[in-house]
Amino acid sequence: MAIQSSYDSSVRLGKEVSVLSDRIKNGLTKISEAKAEKTKATATFEHAHQANEGMKASHQELFELKALVGRLKELDEKKIELTNASQQVQSLTANQAALSDQLKLITQQEEELNGSLTRAQKEKAQLNELTLALDLETKKKQSLLSLSSIEASLQEGLKQKAILMSSLSAQETEVKQAQQTRTEAEIQWHTGQAALLAASLETGSPCPVCGSLDHPKVAESVEKAVTLDQVNALRDQEARANEALSGYKQKQTELESQLASLSERKQDTLSSLGIESTELPRFAETVNSNIAELTSQIAKLQAIDLDSLERQLKQSSDKRVQLQAKFEQQTKLITDATNVMQHLQGVVSSLTQSNNTGFDNAQAVVARQQVLESDIAQKAKALEQSQESLKQASEMLAKFESHLETLQKRPR
């Protein structure tokens, strides 16, 4: 039993020694790894430390850059002012060009209106002359209308004369017939009276007409005796026919007088117009054409509104004066702005020539500052991280070494 117990203790001890040996071996391995990690961390730390030490020049540069920013900001501000001044000059110049175009346009418009007004005034001055010419042509037209009326009266008078002459001719025929009838009736009546006288003659008695005692040829009685009443009636008829003929002749005289008067008026009118009768149609056409043309011209001249043209001219003139004032004001602004721009150009040129910083502007300095600050921050962070890693590696190595020392002190 004691042997068995001794054996078990021996086996257990062997196992413990084996486990301890394994743990020591494992601890040595971890220590080796920790040492390697510490060596690596140390190298990283030293590299980061050296890099951080190398940033002194960057810190110095950063310090110097901060001093440069103020100087270059003044240059940048002047450049911005110069750009603004240049843009202002360009804007003012563009506005002046626009004003110049407007001024040319309004000046041209004013010249055209002035020309139109001058022409209108001259044309208006012709209105009286044209009105007198129209009156003259109108009088010619009236004369033509009078001629037309005279000609119509002449034609009507000629027609009446033709009718009258026909009636006169017929009346003359009627008078001749009445005269012949009356003469024949008187002869028959005288013959009848002679027959009656012959019937009362006695042989040896003197003739009551001639006193002859001999009556060799005594008048014989007619078959149809004509009475004195019939003769007187024929005489009255002849008288009436003669009276009617006299009436026709009187009318003829009056009509011929009227026709002569109309012809004279016609000729006088033609003479006043200075034309011949054959020229009448063409002359009338010319007069009508002249009246139409003159009427049209007068209507156009009467339609000309001089007051309106004068108002338009004044408005155009006032606008031109206003634009001219704006143009001159703009010229002064351009001059002032150009002076400012030229002054700024001199300032910028001077600042640029005195700039020996190697930077064109403050923005470039700020950009460089940002690069340096970022680089410094990154290196500082890397140093901090490497320092922390070295600390952790050292603590881990110390821990492993302490644990190994404890294991090695245990009895085996």
Side-chain angles (χ1 to χ4, degrees):
M1 192 72 173
I3 295 172
Q4 183 64 39
S5 174
S6 177
Y7 175 77
D8 290 341
S9 296
S10 179
V11 171
R12 186 170 59 254
L13 181 59
K15 288 182 179 179
E16 290 177 352
V17 170
S18 177
V19 169
L20 180 60
S21 178
D22 290 340
R23 291 180 65 186
I24 290 172
K25 187 185 291 185
N26 187 38
L28 289 172
T29 300
K30 288 185 176 179
I31 287 172
S32 177
E33 292 176 350
K35 287 181 177 179
E37 186 65 29
K38 181 180 178 182
T39 300
K40 181 180 178 181
T42 299
T44 302
F45 173 75
E46 290 177 352
H47 181 268
H49 182 70
Q50 290 176 357
N52 200 56
E53 287 294 321
M55 292 305 294
K56 290 181 179 180
S58 296
H59 280 286
Q60 181 62 29
E61 183 183 356
L62 187 61
F63 176 77
E64 292 174 353
L65 288 177
K66 288 180 180 178
L68 292 178
V69 169
R71 291 170 55 191
L72 291 176
K73 273 187 177 180
E74 182 184 3
L75 177 59
D76 290 346
E77 289 173 355
K78 294 302 178 182
K79 285 182 177 180
I80 292 173
E81 290 179 13
L82 177 58
T83 300
N84 292 337
S86 178
Q87 290 176 349
Q88 184 180 15
V89 170
Q90 292 177 359
S91 176
L92 290 172
T93 303
N95 291 338
Q96 187 186 44
L99 284 173
S100 178
D101 292 339
Q102 294 178 25
L103 192 57
K104 288 179 181 178
L105 184 62
I106 197 66
T107 301
Q108 181 181 358
Q109 181 181 355
E110 183 180 1
E111 290 175 353
E112 291 176 354
L113 284 171
N114 191 41
S116 298
L117 179 59
T118 301
R119 288 192 298 272
Q121 288 171 340
K122 289 180 179 179
E123 290 173 355
K124 269 291 193 184
Q126 298 175 356
L127 187 59
N128 290 336
E129 182 180 346
L130 292 175
T131 302
L132 291 175
L134 179 60
D135 290 342
L136 179 60
E137 294 299 318
T138 302
K139 289 179 180 179
K140 290 180 181 179
K141 174 90 172 180
Q142 292 172 349
S143 296
L144 289 173
L145 292 174
S146 177
L147 273 175
S148 178
S149 176
I150 291 172
E151 185 63 29
S153 298
L154 277 172
Q155 294 301 321
E156 180 63 26
L158 290 174
K159 289 180 181 179
Q160 292 178 5
K161 182 178 179 181
I163 295 171
L164 181 60
M165 294 305 293
S166 176
S167 299
L168 181 60
S169 177
Q171 190 64 33
E172 286 177 343
T173 301
E174 182 178 346
V175 167
K176 288 179 180 180
Q177 290 177 350
Q179 186 179 13
Q180 183 178 357
T181 302
R182 185 262 311 162
T183 300
E184 291 177 351
E186 284 182 342
I187 292 173
Q188 289 180 358
W189 179 73
H190 285 297
T191 301
Q193 291 301 310
L196 290 175
L197 183 61
S200 65
L201 287 176
E202 295 179 359
T203 302
S205 296
C207 176
V209 177
C210 65
S212 175
L213 297 176
D214 294 326
H215 308 290
K217 188 176 181 181
V218 179
E220 297 178 355
S221 60
V222 295
E223 295 179 358
K224 187 177 181 181
V226 176
T227 65
L228 182 59
D229 290 337
Q230 289 176 327
V231 171
N232 289 332
L234 290 173
R235 287 174 178 169
D236 292 339
Q237 183 177 354
E238 181 185 4
R240 287 193 299 273
N242 281 316
E243 185 178 356
L245 180 59
S246 296
Y248 282 127
K249 287 182 177 182
Q250 179 64 32
K251 288 181 180 180
Q252 179 187 10
T253 301
E254 292 174 355
L255 185 57
E256 286 179 349
S257 176
Q258 292 175 2
L259 290 174
S261 176
L262 288 172
S263 296
E264 184 178 358
R265 285 176 56 195
K266 177 181 177 180
Q267 189 57 46
D268 290 343
T269 304
L270 288 172
S271 298
S272 67
L273 294 174
I275 59 173
E276 298 294 334
S277 180
T278 54
E279 299 173 335
L280 193 57
R282 184 176 180 181
F283 182 79
E285 182 179 351
T286 302
V287 169
N288 289 329
S289 176
N290 290 341
I291 289 175
E293 179 66 22
L294 289 169
T295 302
S296 176
Q297 291 180 4
I298 289 172
K300 289 180 181 179
L301 292 180
Q302 288 175 339
I304 294 175
D305 191 349
L306 292 179
D307 292 337
S308 176
L309 287 174
E310 289 173 351
R311 285 194 301 271
Q312 292 179 35
L313 180 60
K314 186 177 184 307
Q315 291 172 356
S316 179
S317 178
D318 293 343
K319 188 174 182 180
R320 177 184 56 77
V321 171
Q322 293 174 359
L323 286 174
Q324 184 66 41
K326 288 183 179 179
F327 182 84
E328 293 173 357
Q329 182 182 10
Q330 200 74 7
T331 301
K332 184 178 183 304
L333 291 175
I334 290 174
T335 301
D336 294 342
T338 301
N339 292 335
V340 172
M341 182 183 71
Q342 291 174 348
H343 172 71
L344 288 172
Q345 285 174 341
V347 172
V348 169
S349 176
S350 177
L351 291 174
T352 301
Q353 290 176 359
S354 63
N355 178 25
N356 54 3
T357 62
F359 296 94
D360 292 334
N361 50 54
Q363 186 177 0
V365 175
V366 172
R368 178 59 182 166
Q369 283 180 320
Q370 292 174 347
V371 170
L372 290 173
E373 289 173 350
S374 176
D375 191 28
I376 291 171
Q378 288 178 358
K379 285 181 171 54
K381 185 176 182 181
L383 178 61
E384 183 182 354
Q385 288 176 346
S386 66
Q387 189 174 9
E388 180 65 24
S389 297
L390 178 59
K391 179 183 177 183
Q392 290 177 358
S394 297
E395 289 177 350
M396 185 63 68
L397 177 60
K399 179 181 177 182
F400 286 154
E401 287 177 343
S402 176
H403 184 65
L404 178 61
E405 184 181 356
T406 299
L407 288 176
Q408 286 177 342
K409 289 180 178 181
R410 286 184 181 182
R412 298 182 179 180

